[in-house]
């Protein structure tokens, strides 16, 4: 076991430095599996989390690669497929180093087993922070290259030829001079006998044939178009029951008195009972469960519930930011001596953000069965290790006794990564009551989903900035008010995108604080997390500062990036300006707005073309430039940027969950307006060439769009934006 | 009652007031039709009733009786929309896509050469939270042979 601690091990990759081979070395059901287990994870994971699940039998080509006798190369995806198409990038990394035939590469979901399938940075198994590709880059290149070497050695032995005279291309191992060749399938049994190399040689990126090309496409487009993809909602198991739950109407509300007699009489209803989160109705099918729930009579106990309204909370947040309450701030970045740095004329601005729901297309759901101490979950798990722990606590068992089969998610945008595993634990509680290992599918309606909380938290930002005679910031004061997004650990998520921003770096005095009020409304992870708010604050503020200094917004940013030596941002900015025709005339009534933001290591700049006609805000075109390191799957990078723009734009235009006396008012798509096809802009994605380790792409497309639109509006109307959404 | 689904008569003896969506999904084992909102706002549950796009979450079993019901499972594998969807790598999470395809198929039946405005008008009732709208539009145009 390694001495590395929980969460360590980002650089260098533990696979490179502390790889330990786990040799299956046998033909398992016709599939040869070669295995690597990275050993950076502490005894907690190996000992507790992998109990039971640990017999996942890592094979020869490691836990990440299986090659079978039909010639399929299966790449095991430890991350959740929620639409971001990570599987394509992961498969391409393996296929590139293995020199596999891309048409014969497919993917499958890994079982929950943190000892084998943890993310090297997070230290647990889970998907987040747009990290799948970055976290797999070294590990999967190693795995692919090792497997390739084993085939080459097998061929060399068989043909009695020197190893370095043998090549591999498209799944065929060959020797030019003797005109010999063999497929992976031909060599499968022999390769299994070769000891995997400890340090296989990796390709020079200039020799890549697959990575960075249009050949790398999704592997699931067909099944996701023709209706055959299996989501949690589609799971059918023998004897399975369907459950719905009546939840408190207020956050922090509790069950008071209830009458279940009518619900029990509804045809198809099998049982009705109290669970920790409300009253569960278990039935033979979804509709009966729904009718049963409608028949419940419940009065809730709201003594400890949140009963304030959004506008009250927003007013409170403004007071907190001014330091006028007993919620004290804690500094997250300070520099220089405040003394008289903020004396004289200041630029001041503040921003209000509402609560936002993730609202993935598939409402939350889960399938669970509990048989004594064994828990089996079949659903779109996002943070498997955390779900195992939470479910083990609920079912009074060990995390390793919680088996998870991960299905693709009909979207998540962070909702399925909720660290309390709220809906999953709810399902386990119901399945435990039902008992006997009988599977239960918990179905949430859209209304359940949207009123369940775990929202992007309401927030307020207040900035006070002193500038020099060129208009550049010399002193930057920044107060953020937001609930802590995660229930434990460092609460720096709302500061992402403010902390260490080049705009703070350029100032000689920085005084940045976060205030975290406690509310019963559960906050959650919303695609790009703190970045979607901080990008709006920083990028709109910078446009306002540029305007104040009578400087062009692109030129103003360029001056700052040059001063602080941010070469990546400079390159991304130059590319977006060039592709968007920054500075060239537009038709009357249209204006461009620019924003650039770094999120989870990826820099994205966007230029939006915006008009306001007859009171209607329209965004017709968004030009994007991206630096995400080596671009593995350009088509999917473009897809994620397109999707990120739509997701962020819909939220910026219309998104808000309003609390009225504590009760969320928007509970379905009639009131919670999202972007639709007639409003979707044309999105162009341009990638900055890079030789750096790849970084994520699932989230970084979201943050810049709100400020890009706000900045275009500023240019059109001269009016700043101080709250979202734009359209009330 | 009998329901004609994808050219076959199927028996259903449950609640006649059950929305067609749940009949299809829970009783006829046709889970390609998705549940998204339950109130005719998202289009994930779109099927064809006598060739016209309809939200199966808001049609009762009894109302669908006697109509020709077509679901995504009834769309033939080589359908030009399915081919175009794959060619453009339209899906992300994919959850909305069977509804999108059913809506688009109804559009092309009615307007074989739709304009951008026709596509917007026909498709704006179908939400895609992943934001694949522009690829959907490109795929429809590709399938229709309008550049
Ligand atoms: S589920 Fe029927 S329209 Fe949304
Ligand atoms: S592809 Fe995810 S909702 Fe459309």
């Amino acid at each position: 076991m390694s001495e590395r601690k929980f969460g360590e091990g980002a650089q260098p990759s533990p696979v490179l430095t502390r790889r330990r081979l786990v040799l299956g070395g046998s033909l398992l059901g016709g599939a040869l599996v070669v295995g690597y287990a990275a050993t950076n994870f502490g005894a907690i994971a190996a000992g507790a989390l992998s109990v039971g699940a640990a017999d996942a039998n890592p094979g020869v080509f490691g836990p990440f690669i299986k090659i079978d006798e039909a010639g399929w190369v299966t790449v095991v995806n430890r991350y959740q497929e929620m639409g971001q198409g990570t599987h394509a990038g992961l498969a391409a990394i393996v296929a590139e180093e293995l020199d596999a035939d891309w048409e014969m590469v497919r993917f499958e979901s890994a079982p929950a087993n943190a000892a084998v399938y943890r993310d090297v940075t997070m230290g647990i198994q889970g998907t987040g922070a747009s990290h799948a590709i970055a976290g797999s880059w070294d590990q999967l290149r190693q795995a692919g290259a090792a497997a390739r070497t084993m085939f080459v050695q097998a061929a060399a032995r068989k043909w009695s030829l020197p190893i370095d005279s043998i090549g591999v291309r498209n799944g065929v191992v060959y020797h030019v001079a003797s005109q010999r060749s063999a497929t992976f399938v031909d060599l499968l049994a022999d390769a299994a006998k070769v000891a995997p190399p400890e340090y296989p040689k990796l390709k020079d990126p200039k020799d890549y044939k697959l990575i960075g090309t249009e050949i790398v496409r999704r592997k699931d487009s067909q099944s996701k178009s023709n209706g055959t993809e299996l989501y949690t909602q589609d799971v059918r198991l023998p004897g399975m029951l369907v459950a719905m739950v009546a939840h408190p109407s207020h956050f922090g509300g509790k069950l008071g008195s209830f009458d279940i007699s009518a619900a029990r009489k509804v045809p198809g209803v099998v049982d009705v009972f109290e669970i920790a989160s409300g009253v569960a109705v278990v039935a033979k099918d979804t509709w009966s469960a729904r009718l049963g729930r409608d028949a419940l009579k419940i009065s809730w106990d709201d003594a400890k519930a949140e009963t304030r309204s959004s506008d009250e909370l927003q007013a409170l947040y403004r007071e907190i930011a001014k330091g006028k309450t007993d919620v004290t701030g804690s500094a997250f970045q300070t520099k220089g001596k405040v003394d008289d740095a903020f004396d004289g004329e200041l630029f001041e601005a503040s921003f209000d953000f509402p609560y936002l729901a993730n609202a993935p297309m598939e409402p939350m759901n889960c399938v669970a069965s509990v048989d004594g101490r064994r828990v089996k979950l079949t659903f779109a798990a996002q943070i498997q290790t955390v779900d195992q722990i939470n479910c083990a606590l609920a079912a009074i068992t060990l995390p390793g006794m919680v088996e998870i089969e991960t299905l693709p998610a009909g979207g998540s945008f962070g909702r399925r990564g909720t660290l309390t595993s709220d809906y999953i634990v709810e399902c386990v509680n119901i399945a435990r009551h039902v008992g006997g290992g009988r599977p239960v599918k918990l179905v949430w309606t859209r209304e359940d989903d949207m009123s369940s909380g775990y929202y992007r938290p309401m927030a307020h930002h207040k900035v006070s900035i002193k500038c020099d005679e060129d208009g550049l910031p010399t002193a930057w004061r920044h107060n953020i008010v937001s609930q802590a997004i995660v229930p434990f650990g460092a609460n720096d998520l709302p500061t992402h995108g403010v902390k260490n921003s080049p705009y703070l770096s350029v100032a000689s005095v920085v005084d940045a604080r976060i205030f975290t009020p406690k509310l019963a409304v559960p906050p959650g992870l919303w695609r790009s997390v703190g970045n979607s708010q901080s990008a709006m604050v920083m990028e709109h503020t910078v446009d306002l500062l540029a305007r104040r200094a009578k400087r062009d917004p692109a030129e103003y940013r360029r001056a700052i990036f040059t001063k602080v030596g941010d070469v990546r941002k400079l390159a991304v900015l130059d590319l977006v300006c060039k592709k968007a025709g920054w500075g060239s005339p537009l038709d009357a009534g249209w204006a461009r707005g620019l924003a650039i933001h770094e999120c989870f290591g990826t820099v994205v700049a966007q230029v939006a073309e915006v008009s306001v006609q007859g009171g209607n805000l329209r965004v017709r075109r968004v030009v994007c430039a991206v630096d995400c390191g080596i671009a593995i799957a350009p088509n999917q990078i473009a897809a994620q940027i397109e999707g990120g723009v739509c997701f962020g734009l819909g939220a910026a235009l219309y998104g808000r969950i309003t609390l009225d006396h504590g009760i969320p008012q928007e509970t379905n798509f009639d009131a919670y307006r999202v972007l639709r096809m007639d409003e979707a802009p044309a999105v162009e994605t341009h990638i900055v060439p890079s030789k750096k380790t790849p970084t994520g792409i699932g989230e970084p497309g979201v943050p810049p769009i709100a400020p890009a639109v706000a900045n275009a509006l500023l240019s059109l109307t001269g009016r700043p934006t101080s709250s979202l959404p734009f359209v009330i | 009652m009998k329901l004609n689904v994808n050219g076959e008569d199927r028996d259903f003896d449950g609640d006649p007031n059950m929305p067609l969506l749940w009949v299809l999904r829970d009783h006829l084992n046709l889970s390609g039709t998705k549940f998204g909102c339950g109130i005719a706002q998202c289009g994930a549950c779109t099927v064809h009733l006598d060739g016209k796009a309809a939200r199966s979450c808001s049609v009762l079993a009894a109302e669908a009786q006697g109509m020709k019901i077509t679901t995504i499972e009834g769309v033939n594998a080589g359908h030009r929309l399915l081919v175009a969807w794959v060619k453009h790598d339209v899906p992300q999470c994919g959850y909305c896509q069977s509804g999108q395809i059913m809506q688009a198929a109804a559009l092309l039946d009615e307007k074989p050469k739709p304009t951008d405005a026709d596509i917007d008008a026909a498709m704006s009732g179908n939400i895609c939270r992943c934001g694949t709208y522009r690829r959907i539009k490109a795929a429809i145009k590709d399938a229709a042979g309008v550049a």
Side-chain angles (χ1 to χ4, degrees), chain A residues 217 221 224 231 233-234 285-286 359 642 675, chain B residues 25-27 34 87 89 92-93 129 133 135:
Chain A
R217 304 287 294 262
S221 285
K224 283 182 171 177
Y231 300 90
Q233 194 77 36
D234 308 330
D285 64 14
T286 317
E642 292 157 20
L675 203 77
Chain B
R25 292 184 52 82
D26 283 0
H27 292 268
K34 300 302 184 200
K87 178 177 162 198
D89 266 350
Q92 288 186 25
C93 82
R129 285 293 283 149
Y133 297 122
R135 290 191 186 217

PDB file of all heavy atoms in Angstrom, chain A residues 217 221 224 231 233-234 285-286 359 642 675, chain B residues 25-27 34 87 89 92-93 129 133 135:
ATOM      1  N   ARG A 217     -15.593   9.459 -32.416  1.00  0.00           N
ATOM      2  CA  ARG A 217     -16.993   9.848 -32.260  1.00  0.00           C
ATOM      3  C   ARG A 217     -17.618   9.029 -31.141  1.00  0.00           C
ATOM      4  O   ARG A 217     -17.059   8.032 -30.707  1.00  0.00           O
ATOM      5  CB  ARG A 217     -17.750   9.583 -33.583  1.00  0.00           C
ATOM      6  CG  ARG A 217     -17.128  10.294 -34.789  1.00  0.00           C
ATOM      7  CD  ARG A 217     -17.393  11.776 -34.760  1.00  0.00           C
ATOM      8  NE  ARG A 217     -18.798  12.047 -34.919  1.00  0.00           N
ATOM      9  CZ  ARG A 217     -19.371  12.392 -36.081  1.00  0.00           C
ATOM     10  NH1 ARG A 217     -18.649  12.508 -37.175  1.00  0.00           N
ATOM     11  NH2 ARG A 217     -20.665  12.626 -36.140  1.00  0.00           N
ATOM     12  N   SER A 221     -24.413   6.759 -30.058  1.00  0.00           N
ATOM     13  CA  SER A 221     -25.401   7.580 -30.766  1.00  0.00           C
ATOM     14  C   SER A 221     -26.580   6.755 -31.276  1.00  0.00           C
ATOM     15  O   SER A 221     -27.722   7.204 -31.251  1.00  0.00           O
ATOM     16  CB  SER A 221     -24.752   8.325 -31.937  1.00  0.00           C
ATOM     17  OG  SER A 221     -23.987   9.394 -31.450  1.00  0.00           O
ATOM     18  N   LYS A 224     -28.868   5.657 -28.433  1.00  0.00           N
ATOM     19  CA  LYS A 224     -29.516   6.827 -27.839  1.00  0.00           C
ATOM     20  C   LYS A 224     -30.455   7.528 -28.822  1.00  0.00           C
ATOM     21  O   LYS A 224     -31.104   8.502 -28.456  1.00  0.00           O
ATOM     22  CB  LYS A 224     -28.464   7.811 -27.314  1.00  0.00           C
ATOM     23  CG  LYS A 224     -27.844   7.356 -25.985  1.00  0.00           C
ATOM     24  CD  LYS A 224     -26.854   8.360 -25.462  1.00  0.00           C
ATOM     25  CE  LYS A 224     -26.418   7.996 -24.047  1.00  0.00           C
ATOM     26  NZ  LYS A 224     -25.394   8.943 -23.548  1.00  0.00           N
ATOM     27  N   TYR A 231     -32.011   3.334 -19.505  1.00  0.00           N
ATOM     28  CA  TYR A 231     -31.804   4.278 -18.397  1.00  0.00           C
ATOM     29  C   TYR A 231     -32.427   3.685 -17.130  1.00  0.00           C
ATOM     30  O   TYR A 231     -33.183   2.715 -17.193  1.00  0.00           O
ATOM     31  CB  TYR A 231     -32.473   5.625 -18.716  1.00  0.00           C
ATOM     32  CG  TYR A 231     -31.932   6.285 -19.963  1.00  0.00           C
ATOM     33  CD1 TYR A 231     -32.501   6.022 -21.202  1.00  0.00           C
ATOM     34  CD2 TYR A 231     -30.847   7.155 -19.907  1.00  0.00           C
ATOM     35  CE1 TYR A 231     -31.999   6.612 -22.356  1.00  0.00           C
ATOM     36  CE2 TYR A 231     -30.343   7.750 -21.049  1.00  0.00           C
ATOM     37  CZ  TYR A 231     -30.919   7.483 -22.274  1.00  0.00           C
ATOM     38  OH  TYR A 231     -30.431   8.058 -23.413  1.00  0.00           O
ATOM     39  N   GLN A 233     -34.849   4.722 -15.469  1.00  0.00           N
ATOM     40  CA  GLN A 233     -36.302   4.736 -15.585  1.00  0.00           C
ATOM     41  C   GLN A 233     -36.822   3.491 -16.326  1.00  0.00           C
ATOM     42  O   GLN A 233     -37.974   3.115 -16.178  1.00  0.00           O
ATOM     43  CB  GLN A 233     -36.715   6.007 -16.340  1.00  0.00           C
ATOM     44  CG  GLN A 233     -38.187   6.350 -16.266  1.00  0.00           C
ATOM     45  CD  GLN A 233     -38.578   6.972 -14.941  1.00  0.00           C
ATOM     46  OE1 GLN A 233     -37.814   7.729 -14.349  1.00  0.00           O
ATOM     47  NE2 GLN A 233     -39.751   6.642 -14.449  1.00  0.00           N
ATOM     48  N   ASP A 234     -35.965   2.864 -17.115  1.00  0.00           N
ATOM     49  CA  ASP A 234     -36.395   1.753 -17.966  1.00  0.00           C
ATOM     50  C   ASP A 234     -36.134   0.377 -17.348  1.00  0.00           C
ATOM     51  O   ASP A 234     -36.457  -0.646 -17.955  1.00  0.00           O
ATOM     52  CB  ASP A 234     -35.651   1.821 -19.317  1.00  0.00           C
ATOM     53  CG  ASP A 234     -35.772   3.184 -19.958  1.00  0.00           C
ATOM     54  OD1 ASP A 234     -36.804   3.855 -19.742  1.00  0.00           O
ATOM     55  OD2 ASP A 234     -34.833   3.588 -20.672  1.00  0.00           O
ATOM     56  N   ASP A 285     -47.215  -0.648 -10.325  1.00  0.00           N
ATOM     57  CA  ASP A 285     -46.718   0.123 -11.468  1.00  0.00           C
ATOM     58  C   ASP A 285     -46.678   1.610 -11.118  1.00  0.00           C
ATOM     59  O   ASP A 285     -47.136   2.014 -10.040  1.00  0.00           O
ATOM     60  CB  ASP A 285     -47.537  -0.144 -12.748  1.00  0.00           C
ATOM     61  CG  ASP A 285     -48.977   0.301 -12.615  1.00  0.00           C
ATOM     62  OD1 ASP A 285     -49.296   1.052 -11.669  1.00  0.00           O
ATOM     63  OD2 ASP A 285     -49.793  -0.093 -13.474  1.00  0.00           O
ATOM     64  N   THR A 286     -46.126   2.396 -12.019  1.00  0.00           N
ATOM     65  CA  THR A 286     -45.869   3.813 -11.729  1.00  0.00           C
ATOM     66  C   THR A 286     -47.169   4.578 -11.493  1.00  0.00           C
ATOM     67  O   THR A 286     -47.269   5.382 -10.571  1.00  0.00           O
ATOM     68  CB  THR A 286     -45.100   4.454 -12.894  1.00  0.00           C
ATOM     69  OG1 THR A 286     -44.082   3.553 -13.321  1.00  0.00           O
ATOM     70  CG2 THR A 286     -44.472   5.761 -12.488  1.00  0.00           C
ATOM     71  N   ALA A 359     -32.453  20.278 -13.176  1.00  0.00           N
ATOM     72  CA  ALA A 359     -33.487  19.845 -14.111  1.00  0.00           C
ATOM     73  C   ALA A 359     -32.977  19.015 -15.284  1.00  0.00           C
ATOM     74  O   ALA A 359     -33.213  19.344 -16.436  1.00  0.00           O
ATOM     75  CB  ALA A 359     -34.273  21.059 -14.625  1.00  0.00           C
ATOM     76  N   GLU A 642     -21.338  23.443 -27.384  1.00  0.00           N
ATOM     77  CA  GLU A 642     -22.692  23.778 -27.861  1.00  0.00           C
ATOM     78  C   GLU A 642     -23.704  23.587 -26.732  1.00  0.00           C
ATOM     79  O   GLU A 642     -24.542  24.448 -26.465  1.00  0.00           O
ATOM     80  CB  GLU A 642     -23.085  22.860 -29.036  1.00  0.00           C
ATOM     81  CG  GLU A 642     -22.275  23.100 -30.306  1.00  0.00           C
ATOM     82  CD  GLU A 642     -22.248  21.870 -31.243  1.00  0.00           C
ATOM     83  OE1 GLU A 642     -23.137  20.994 -31.124  1.00  0.00           O
ATOM     84  OE2 GLU A 642     -21.324  21.788 -32.074  1.00  0.00           O
ATOM     85  N   LEU A 675     -34.111  26.792 -22.294  1.00  0.00           N
ATOM     86  CA  LEU A 675     -33.912  27.147 -23.690  1.00  0.00           C
ATOM     87  C   LEU A 675     -34.589  26.117 -24.598  1.00  0.00           C
ATOM     88  O   LEU A 675     -34.545  24.924 -24.330  1.00  0.00           O
ATOM     89  CB  LEU A 675     -32.413  27.199 -23.995  1.00  0.00           C
ATOM     90  CG  LEU A 675     -32.045  28.062 -25.205  1.00  0.00           C
ATOM     91  CD1 LEU A 675     -32.094  29.541 -24.835  1.00  0.00           C
ATOM     92  CD2 LEU A 675     -30.668  27.689 -25.741  1.00  0.00           C
TER      93      LEU A 675
ATOM     94  N   ARG B  25     -44.953   2.085 -21.256  1.00  0.00           N
ATOM     95  CA  ARG B  25     -43.711   1.806 -20.535  1.00  0.00           C
ATOM     96  C   ARG B  25     -43.857   0.644 -19.546  1.00  0.00           C
ATOM     97  O   ARG B  25     -43.025  -0.255 -19.523  1.00  0.00           O
ATOM     98  CB  ARG B  25     -43.260   3.050 -19.760  1.00  0.00           C
ATOM     99  CG  ARG B  25     -42.804   4.214 -20.653  1.00  0.00           C
ATOM    100  CD  ARG B  25     -42.272   5.363 -19.803  1.00  0.00           C
ATOM    101  NE  ARG B  25     -41.280   4.856 -18.878  1.00  0.00           N
ATOM    102  CZ  ARG B  25     -40.005   4.633 -19.186  1.00  0.00           C
ATOM    103  NH1 ARG B  25     -39.561   4.932 -20.380  1.00  0.00           N
ATOM    104  NH2 ARG B  25     -39.179   4.130 -18.295  1.00  0.00           N
ATOM    105  N   ASP B  26     -44.919   0.698 -18.725  1.00  0.00           N
ATOM    106  CA  ASP B  26     -45.015  -0.274 -17.637  1.00  0.00           C
ATOM    107  C   ASP B  26     -45.747  -1.558 -18.046  1.00  0.00           C
ATOM    108  O   ASP B  26     -45.527  -2.605 -17.450  1.00  0.00           O
ATOM    109  CB  ASP B  26     -45.749   0.340 -16.435  1.00  0.00           C
ATOM    110  CG  ASP B  26     -44.864   1.292 -15.632  1.00  0.00           C
ATOM    111  OD1 ASP B  26     -43.690   1.470 -16.019  1.00  0.00           O
ATOM    112  OD2 ASP B  26     -45.343   1.856 -14.631  1.00  0.00           O
ATOM    113  N   HIS B  27     -46.640  -1.464 -19.021  1.00  0.00           N
ATOM    114  CA  HIS B  27     -47.467  -2.639 -19.331  1.00  0.00           C
ATOM    115  C   HIS B  27     -47.125  -3.279 -20.668  1.00  0.00           C
ATOM    116  O   HIS B  27     -47.306  -4.469 -20.844  1.00  0.00           O
ATOM    117  CB  HIS B  27     -48.948  -2.273 -19.249  1.00  0.00           C
ATOM    118  CG  HIS B  27     -49.375  -1.976 -17.850  1.00  0.00           C
ATOM    119  ND1 HIS B  27     -49.896  -2.929 -17.010  1.00  0.00           N
ATOM    120  CD2 HIS B  27     -49.281  -0.830 -17.108  1.00  0.00           C
ATOM    121  CE1 HIS B  27     -50.127  -2.390 -15.822  1.00  0.00           C
ATOM    122  NE2 HIS B  27     -49.756  -1.117 -15.854  1.00  0.00           N
ATOM    123  N   LYS B  34     -40.184   8.215 -23.383  1.00  0.00           N
ATOM    124  CA  LYS B  34     -39.655   8.631 -22.073  1.00  0.00           C
ATOM    125  C   LYS B  34     -40.591   9.523 -21.279  1.00  0.00           C
ATOM    126  O   LYS B  34     -41.398  10.264 -21.836  1.00  0.00           O
ATOM    127  CB  LYS B  34     -38.330   9.380 -22.274  1.00  0.00           C
ATOM    128  CG  LYS B  34     -37.247   8.557 -22.958  1.00  0.00           C
ATOM    129  CD  LYS B  34     -36.912   7.280 -22.207  1.00  0.00           C
ATOM    130  CE  LYS B  34     -35.770   6.526 -22.865  1.00  0.00           C
ATOM    131  NZ  LYS B  34     -35.754   5.117 -22.462  1.00  0.00           N
ATOM    132  N   LYS B  87     -25.114  10.117 -37.822  1.00  0.00           N
ATOM    133  CA  LYS B  87     -24.100  10.817 -38.613  1.00  0.00           C
ATOM    134  C   LYS B  87     -23.688  12.127 -37.935  1.00  0.00           C
ATOM    135  O   LYS B  87     -22.510  12.487 -37.925  1.00  0.00           O
ATOM    136  CB  LYS B  87     -24.669  11.100 -40.007  1.00  0.00           C
ATOM    137  CG  LYS B  87     -23.732  11.876 -40.915  1.00  0.00           C
ATOM    138  CD  LYS B  87     -24.322  12.054 -42.304  1.00  0.00           C
ATOM    139  CE  LYS B  87     -23.600  13.192 -43.026  1.00  0.00           C
ATOM    140  NZ  LYS B  87     -24.386  13.690 -44.169  1.00  0.00           N
ATOM    141  N   ASP B  89     -23.924  12.736 -34.738  1.00  0.00           N
ATOM    142  CA  ASP B  89     -23.725  12.514 -33.303  1.00  0.00           C
ATOM    143  C   ASP B  89     -24.608  13.470 -32.494  1.00  0.00           C
ATOM    144  O   ASP B  89     -24.134  14.222 -31.642  1.00  0.00           O
ATOM    145  CB  ASP B  89     -22.257  12.705 -32.897  1.00  0.00           C
ATOM    146  CG  ASP B  89     -21.498  11.370 -32.912  1.00  0.00           C
ATOM    147  OD1 ASP B  89     -22.138  10.317 -33.044  1.00  0.00           O
ATOM    148  OD2 ASP B  89     -20.256  11.401 -32.804  1.00  0.00           O
ATOM    149  N   GLN B  92     -26.634  13.571 -26.637  1.00  0.00           N
ATOM    150  CA  GLN B  92     -25.676  13.648 -25.533  1.00  0.00           C
ATOM    151  C   GLN B  92     -26.164  12.643 -24.492  1.00  0.00           C
ATOM    152  O   GLN B  92     -25.837  11.469 -24.607  1.00  0.00           O
ATOM    153  CB  GLN B  92     -25.535  15.075 -25.022  1.00  0.00           C
ATOM    154  CG  GLN B  92     -24.759  15.936 -26.041  1.00  0.00           C
ATOM    155  CD  GLN B  92     -24.434  17.328 -25.567  1.00  0.00           C
ATOM    156  OE1 GLN B  92     -24.337  17.610 -24.392  1.00  0.00           O
ATOM    157  NE2 GLN B  92     -24.241  18.241 -26.512  1.00  0.00           N
ATOM    158  N   CYS B  93     -26.989  13.076 -23.532  1.00  0.00           N
ATOM    159  CA  CYS B  93     -27.503  12.055 -22.614  1.00  0.00           C
ATOM    160  C   CYS B  93     -28.477  11.137 -23.339  1.00  0.00           C
ATOM    161  O   CYS B  93     -28.656   9.991 -22.965  1.00  0.00           O
ATOM    162  CB  CYS B  93     -28.157  12.687 -21.391  1.00  0.00           C
ATOM    163  SG  CYS B  93     -29.856  13.225 -21.623  1.00  0.00           S
ATOM    164  N   ARG B 129     -32.342  19.216 -22.591  1.00  0.00           N
ATOM    165  CA  ARG B 129     -31.552  19.909 -21.568  1.00  0.00           C
ATOM    166  C   ARG B 129     -30.071  19.881 -21.888  1.00  0.00           C
ATOM    167  O   ARG B 129     -29.309  20.697 -21.391  1.00  0.00           O
ATOM    168  CB  ARG B 129     -31.813  19.299 -20.182  1.00  0.00           C
ATOM    169  CG  ARG B 129     -33.157  19.682 -19.599  1.00  0.00           C
ATOM    170  CD  ARG B 129     -33.244  21.158 -19.260  1.00  0.00           C
ATOM    171  NE  ARG B 129     -32.545  21.516 -18.038  1.00  0.00           N
ATOM    172  CZ  ARG B 129     -31.978  22.717 -17.836  1.00  0.00           C
ATOM    173  NH1 ARG B 129     -31.970  23.629 -18.802  1.00  0.00           N
ATOM    174  NH2 ARG B 129     -31.390  22.980 -16.695  1.00  0.00           N
ATOM    175  N   TYR B 133     -29.878  21.135 -29.779  1.00  0.00           N
ATOM    176  CA  TYR B 133     -30.827  21.693 -30.756  1.00  0.00           C
ATOM    177  C   TYR B 133     -30.252  21.893 -32.159  1.00  0.00           C
ATOM    178  O   TYR B 133     -30.878  21.569 -33.154  1.00  0.00           O
ATOM    179  CB  TYR B 133     -31.367  23.035 -30.248  1.00  0.00           C
ATOM    180  CG  TYR B 133     -32.161  22.928 -28.974  1.00  0.00           C
ATOM    181  CD1 TYR B 133     -31.787  23.638 -27.832  1.00  0.00           C
ATOM    182  CD2 TYR B 133     -33.290  22.119 -28.898  1.00  0.00           C
ATOM    183  CE1 TYR B 133     -32.524  23.560 -26.656  1.00  0.00           C
ATOM    184  CE2 TYR B 133     -34.033  22.035 -27.719  1.00  0.00           C
ATOM    185  CZ  TYR B 133     -33.648  22.755 -26.610  1.00  0.00           C
ATOM    186  OH  TYR B 133     -34.378  22.672 -25.451  1.00  0.00           O
ATOM    187  N   ARG B 135     -27.735  20.489 -33.590  1.00  0.00           N
ATOM    188  CA  ARG B 135     -27.442  19.218 -34.265  1.00  0.00           C
ATOM    189  C   ARG B 135     -28.732  18.540 -34.712  1.00  0.00           C
ATOM    190  O   ARG B 135     -28.778  17.907 -35.758  1.00  0.00           O
ATOM    191  CB  ARG B 135     -26.615  18.299 -33.362  1.00  0.00           C
ATOM    192  CG  ARG B 135     -25.196  18.823 -33.191  1.00  0.00           C
ATOM    193  CD  ARG B 135     -24.290  17.810 -32.525  1.00  0.00           C
ATOM    194  NE  ARG B 135     -23.000  18.438 -32.271  1.00  0.00           N
ATOM    195  CZ  ARG B 135     -21.825  17.825 -32.382  1.00  0.00           C
ATOM    196  NH1 ARG B 135     -21.760  16.559 -32.719  1.00  0.00           N
ATOM    197  NH2 ARG B 135     -20.705  18.472 -32.142  1.00  0.00           N
TER     198      ARG B 135
END
